[in-house]
Amino acid sequence: MGSDASAVVDLALRVNGVEGLRVADCSVMPQLTSGNTCAPTMMIADRCADAILA
């Protein structure tokens, strides 16, 4: 995730180079947490939903 050309998704979780596709899972985390990934993934999905509705 990032704003540079080599990033797969941008900060709004849109996949670069693919129209209308967003990714909201653990793959967008720059570093995985050492604990359970359920809560961080739910927060990513919540931010993605906010971005879609905005």
Side-chain angles (χ1 to χ4, degrees), residues 1-7 9-11 16:
M1 177 168 54
S3 57
D4 59 336
S6 65
V9 295
D10 64 8
L11 298 176
N16 292 329

Side-chain angles (χ1 to χ4, degrees), residues 20-41:
L21 179 64
R22 294 181 191 246
V23 173
D25 63 6
C26 290
S27 67
V28 301
M29 292 182 190
Q31 292 180 335
L32 286 177
T33 61
S34 61
N36 191 343
T37 58
C38 183
T41 304

